[in-house]
PDB file of all heavy atoms in Angstrom:
ATOM      1  N   PRO B 115      -7.748 -84.171 -59.183  1.00 89.00           N
ATOM      2  CA  PRO B 115      -8.924 -83.480 -58.668  1.00 89.00           C
ATOM      3  C   PRO B 115     -10.160 -83.698 -59.543  1.00 89.00           C
ATOM      4  O   PRO B 115     -10.047 -83.998 -60.733  1.00 89.00           O
ATOM      5  CB  PRO B 115      -8.513 -82.027 -58.713  1.00 89.00           C
ATOM      6  CG  PRO B 115      -7.587 -81.950 -59.892  1.00 89.00           C
ATOM      7  CD  PRO B 115      -6.958 -83.306 -60.081  1.00 89.00           C
ATOM      8  N   GLY B 116     -11.292 -83.550 -58.927  1.00 88.00           N
ATOM      9  CA  GLY B 116     -12.538 -83.629 -59.682  1.00 88.00           C
ATOM     10  C   GLY B 116     -13.698 -83.291 -58.784  1.00 88.00           C
ATOM     11  O   GLY B 116     -13.515 -82.950 -57.622  1.00 88.00           O
ATOM     12  N   GLY B 117     -14.890 -83.382 -59.341  1.00 87.00           N
ATOM     13  CA  GLY B 117     -16.062 -83.129 -58.523  1.00 87.00           C
ATOM     14  C   GLY B 117     -16.982 -84.321 -58.607  1.00 87.00           C
ATOM     15  O   GLY B 117     -16.943 -85.074 -59.581  1.00 87.00           O
ATOM     16  N   ALA B 118     -17.779 -84.535 -57.564  1.00 88.00           N
ATOM     17  CA  ALA B 118     -18.692 -85.670 -57.609  1.00 88.00           C
ATOM     18  C   ALA B 118     -19.848 -85.469 -56.649  1.00 88.00           C
ATOM     19  O   ALA B 118     -19.776 -84.664 -55.727  1.00 88.00           O
ATOM     20  CB  ALA B 118     -17.962 -86.964 -57.257  1.00 88.00           C
ATOM     21  N   GLN B 119     -20.908 -86.229 -56.922  1.00 90.00           N
ATOM     22  CA  GLN B 119     -22.089 -86.209 -56.073  1.00 90.00           C
ATOM     23  C   GLN B 119     -21.902 -87.257 -54.979  1.00 90.00           C
ATOM     24  O   GLN B 119     -21.543 -88.406 -55.260  1.00 90.00           O
ATOM     25  CB  GLN B 119     -23.316 -86.585 -56.927  1.00 90.00           C
ATOM     26  CG  GLN B 119     -24.628 -86.424 -56.232  1.00 90.00           C
ATOM     27  CD  GLN B 119     -25.121 -84.989 -56.314  1.00 90.00           C
ATOM     28  OE1 GLN B 119     -24.522 -84.161 -57.008  1.00 90.00           O
ATOM     29  NE2 GLN B 119     -26.200 -84.695 -55.624  1.00 90.00           N
ATOM     30  N   LEU B 120     -22.130 -86.846 -53.712  1.00 91.00           N
ATOM     31  CA  LEU B 120     -22.042 -87.789 -52.601  1.00 91.00           C
ATOM     32  C   LEU B 120     -23.462 -88.106 -52.141  1.00 91.00           C
ATOM     33  O   LEU B 120     -24.310 -87.217 -52.101  1.00 91.00           O
ATOM     34  CB  LEU B 120     -21.274 -87.195 -51.421  1.00 91.00           C
ATOM     35  CG  LEU B 120     -19.903 -86.572 -51.661  1.00 91.00           C
ATOM     36  CD1 LEU B 120     -19.277 -86.199 -50.327  1.00 91.00           C
ATOM     37  CD2 LEU B 120     -19.002 -87.524 -52.431  1.00 91.00           C
ATOM     38  N   ILE B 121     -23.668 -89.367 -51.788  1.00 91.00           N
ATOM     39  CA  ILE B 121     -24.984 -89.727 -51.258  1.00 91.00           C
ATOM     40  C   ILE B 121     -24.809 -90.510 -49.975  1.00 91.00           C
ATOM     41  O   ILE B 121     -23.977 -91.421 -49.880  1.00 91.00           O
ATOM     42  CB  ILE B 121     -25.784 -90.583 -52.263  1.00 91.00           C
ATOM     43  CG1 ILE B 121     -25.980 -89.806 -53.577  1.00 91.00           C
ATOM     44  CG2 ILE B 121     -27.140 -90.990 -51.682  1.00 91.00           C
ATOM     45  CD1 ILE B 121     -26.511 -90.652 -54.703  1.00 91.00           C
ATOM     46  N   TYR B 122     -25.552 -90.093 -48.957  1.00 91.00           N
ATOM     47  CA  TYR B 122     -25.598 -90.907 -47.741  1.00 91.00           C
ATOM     48  C   TYR B 122     -27.063 -90.973 -47.327  1.00 91.00           C
ATOM     49  O   TYR B 122     -27.665 -89.932 -47.001  1.00 91.00           O
ATOM     50  CB  TYR B 122     -24.766 -90.303 -46.630  1.00 91.00           C
ATOM     51  CG  TYR B 122     -24.933 -91.049 -45.313  1.00 91.00           C
ATOM     52  CD1 TYR B 122     -24.382 -92.331 -45.155  1.00 91.00           C
ATOM     53  CD2 TYR B 122     -25.680 -90.507 -44.263  1.00 91.00           C
ATOM     54  CE1 TYR B 122     -24.563 -93.025 -43.981  1.00 91.00           C
ATOM     55  CE2 TYR B 122     -25.850 -91.200 -43.083  1.00 91.00           C
ATOM     56  CZ  TYR B 122     -25.295 -92.469 -42.942  1.00 91.00           C
ATOM     57  OH  TYR B 122     -25.476 -93.165 -41.785  1.00 91.00           O
ATOM     58  N   GLY B 123     -27.622 -92.154 -47.323  1.00 86.00           N
ATOM     59  CA  GLY B 123     -29.042 -92.291 -47.026  1.00 86.00           C
ATOM     60  C   GLY B 123     -29.837 -91.494 -48.039  1.00 86.00           C
ATOM     61  O   GLY B 123     -29.626 -91.619 -49.253  1.00 86.00           O
ATOM     62  N   GLY B 124     -30.686 -90.609 -47.558  1.00 87.00           N
ATOM     63  CA  GLY B 124     -31.475 -89.805 -48.488  1.00 87.00           C
ATOM     64  C   GLY B 124     -30.852 -88.470 -48.797  1.00 87.00           C
ATOM     65  O   GLY B 124     -31.421 -87.655 -49.517  1.00 87.00           O
ATOM     66  N   VAL B 125     -29.645 -88.209 -48.245  1.00 89.00           N
ATOM     67  CA  VAL B 125     -29.028 -86.888 -48.402  1.00 89.00           C
ATOM     68  C   VAL B 125     -27.972 -86.946 -49.491  1.00 89.00           C
ATOM     69  O   VAL B 125     -27.228 -87.917 -49.598  1.00 89.00           O
ATOM     70  CB  VAL B 125     -28.348 -86.450 -47.086  1.00 89.00           C
ATOM     71  CG1 VAL B 125     -28.023 -84.973 -47.120  1.00 89.00           C
ATOM     72  CG2 VAL B 125     -29.220 -86.799 -45.895  1.00 89.00           C
ATOM     73  N   ASN B 126     -27.926 -85.911 -50.326  1.00 90.00           N
ATOM     74  CA  ASN B 126     -26.809 -85.861 -51.266  1.00 90.00           C
ATOM     75  C   ASN B 126     -26.153 -84.496 -51.228  1.00 90.00           C
ATOM     76  O   ASN B 126     -26.749 -83.504 -50.810  1.00 90.00           O
ATOM     77  CB  ASN B 126     -27.240 -86.242 -52.674  1.00 90.00           C
ATOM     78  CG  ASN B 126     -28.227 -85.261 -53.246  1.00 90.00           C
ATOM     79  OD1 ASN B 126     -27.882 -84.143 -53.559  1.00 90.00           O
ATOM     80  ND2 ASN B 126     -29.504 -85.690 -53.364  1.00 90.00           N
ATOM     81  N   TRP B 127     -24.900 -84.465 -51.658  1.00 92.00           N
ATOM     82  CA  TRP B 127     -24.083 -83.253 -51.538  1.00 92.00           C
ATOM     83  C   TRP B 127     -23.047 -83.270 -52.643  1.00 92.00           C
ATOM     84  O   TRP B 127     -22.385 -84.278 -52.858  1.00 92.00           O
ATOM     85  CB  TRP B 127     -23.407 -83.230 -50.160  1.00 92.00           C
ATOM     86  CG  TRP B 127     -22.598 -81.984 -49.878  1.00 92.00           C
ATOM     87  CD1 TRP B 127     -21.253 -81.890 -49.782  1.00 92.00           C
ATOM     88  CD2 TRP B 127     -23.111 -80.677 -49.649  1.00 92.00           C
ATOM     89  NE1 TRP B 127     -20.887 -80.624 -49.513  1.00 92.00           N
ATOM     90  CE2 TRP B 127     -22.018 -79.840 -49.431  1.00 92.00           C
ATOM     91  CE3 TRP B 127     -24.422 -80.146 -49.638  1.00 92.00           C
ATOM     92  CZ2 TRP B 127     -22.170 -78.494 -49.178  1.00 92.00           C
ATOM     93  CZ3 TRP B 127     -24.566 -78.807 -49.383  1.00 92.00           C
ATOM     94  CH2 TRP B 127     -23.448 -77.974 -49.150  1.00 92.00           C
ATOM     95  N   ASN B 128     -22.952 -82.161 -53.356  1.00 92.00           N
ATOM     96  CA  ASN B 128     -21.988 -82.064 -54.443  1.00 92.00           C
ATOM     97  C   ASN B 128     -20.726 -81.400 -53.925  1.00 92.00           C
ATOM     98  O   ASN B 128     -20.790 -80.321 -53.338  1.00 92.00           O
ATOM     99  CB  ASN B 128     -22.595 -81.237 -55.587  1.00 92.00           C
ATOM    100  CG  ASN B 128     -21.996 -81.613 -56.914  1.00 92.00           C
ATOM    101  OD1 ASN B 128     -21.202 -82.543 -57.011  1.00 92.00           O
ATOM    102  ND2 ASN B 128     -22.373 -80.874 -57.952  1.00 92.00           N
ATOM    103  N   THR B 129     -19.585 -82.049 -54.126  1.00 93.00           N
ATOM    104  CA  THR B 129     -18.367 -81.466 -53.555  1.00 93.00           C
ATOM    105  C   THR B 129     -17.166 -81.798 -54.429  1.00 93.00           C
ATOM    106  O   THR B 129     -17.284 -82.510 -55.445  1.00 93.00           O
ATOM    107  CB  THR B 129     -18.156 -81.980 -52.121  1.00 93.00           C
ATOM    108  OG1 THR B 129     -17.089 -81.264 -51.522  1.00 93.00           O
ATOM    109  CG2 THR B 129     -17.809 -83.455 -52.099  1.00 93.00           C
ATOM    110  N   SER B 130     -16.028 -81.269 -54.062  1.00 92.00           N
ATOM    111  CA  SER B 130     -14.820 -81.574 -54.813  1.00 92.00           C
ATOM    112  C   SER B 130     -14.163 -82.810 -54.213  1.00 92.00           C
ATOM    113  O   SER B 130     -14.121 -82.969 -52.987  1.00 92.00           O
ATOM    114  CB  SER B 130     -13.857 -80.395 -54.793  1.00 92.00           C
ATOM    115  OG  SER B 130     -13.564 -80.019 -53.478  1.00 92.00           O
ATOM    116  N   VAL B 131     -13.684 -83.679 -55.099  1.00 92.00           N
ATOM    117  CA  VAL B 131     -13.058 -84.917 -54.667  1.00 92.00           C
ATOM    118  C   VAL B 131     -11.606 -84.893 -55.106  1.00 92.00           C
ATOM    119  O   VAL B 131     -11.317 -84.561 -56.257  1.00 92.00           O
ATOM    120  CB  VAL B 131     -13.785 -86.142 -55.282  1.00 92.00           C
ATOM    121  CG1 VAL B 131     -13.065 -87.423 -54.891  1.00 92.00           C
ATOM    122  CG2 VAL B 131     -15.226 -86.176 -54.833  1.00 92.00           C
ATOM    123  N   TYR B 132     -10.725 -85.169 -54.178  1.00 93.00           N
ATOM    124  CA  TYR B 132      -9.311 -85.232 -54.520  1.00 93.00           C
ATOM    125  C   TYR B 132      -8.806 -86.647 -54.342  1.00 93.00           C
ATOM    126  O   TYR B 132      -8.918 -87.203 -53.250  1.00 93.00           O
ATOM    127  CB  TYR B 132      -8.477 -84.309 -53.620  1.00 93.00           C
ATOM    128  CG  TYR B 132      -8.682 -82.848 -53.906  1.00 93.00           C
ATOM    129  CD1 TYR B 132      -9.677 -82.118 -53.281  1.00 93.00           C
ATOM    130  CD2 TYR B 132      -7.861 -82.186 -54.842  1.00 93.00           C
ATOM    131  CE1 TYR B 132      -9.870 -80.777 -53.559  1.00 93.00           C
ATOM    132  CE2 TYR B 132      -8.052 -80.849 -55.122  1.00 93.00           C
ATOM    133  CZ  TYR B 132      -9.050 -80.154 -54.485  1.00 93.00           C
ATOM    134  OH  TYR B 132      -9.234 -78.838 -54.769  1.00 93.00           O
ATOM    135  N   GLY B 133      -8.264 -87.226 -55.449  1.00 92.00           N
ATOM    136  CA  GLY B 133      -7.560 -88.484 -55.321  1.00 92.00           C
ATOM    137  C   GLY B 133      -6.116 -88.148 -55.002  1.00 92.00           C
ATOM    138  O   GLY B 133      -5.494 -87.341 -55.706  1.00 92.00           O
ATOM    139  N   THR B 134      -5.577 -88.726 -53.922  1.00 94.00           N
ATOM    140  CA  THR B 134      -4.203 -88.374 -53.551  1.00 94.00           C
ATOM    141  C   THR B 134      -3.578 -89.491 -52.727  1.00 94.00           C
ATOM    142  O   THR B 134      -4.090 -90.617 -52.715  1.00 94.00           O
ATOM    143  CB  THR B 134      -4.179 -87.013 -52.819  1.00 94.00           C
ATOM    144  OG1 THR B 134      -2.844 -86.630 -52.600  1.00 94.00           O
ATOM    145  CG2 THR B 134      -4.936 -87.065 -51.501  1.00 94.00           C
TER     146      THR B 134
END
Side-chain angles (χ1 to χ4, degrees):
Chain B
Q119 188 84 7
L120 309 186
I121 301 169
Y122 173 71
V125 194
N126 64 71
W127 183 250
N128 207 5
T129 188
S130 56
V131 176
Y132 289 89
T134 186

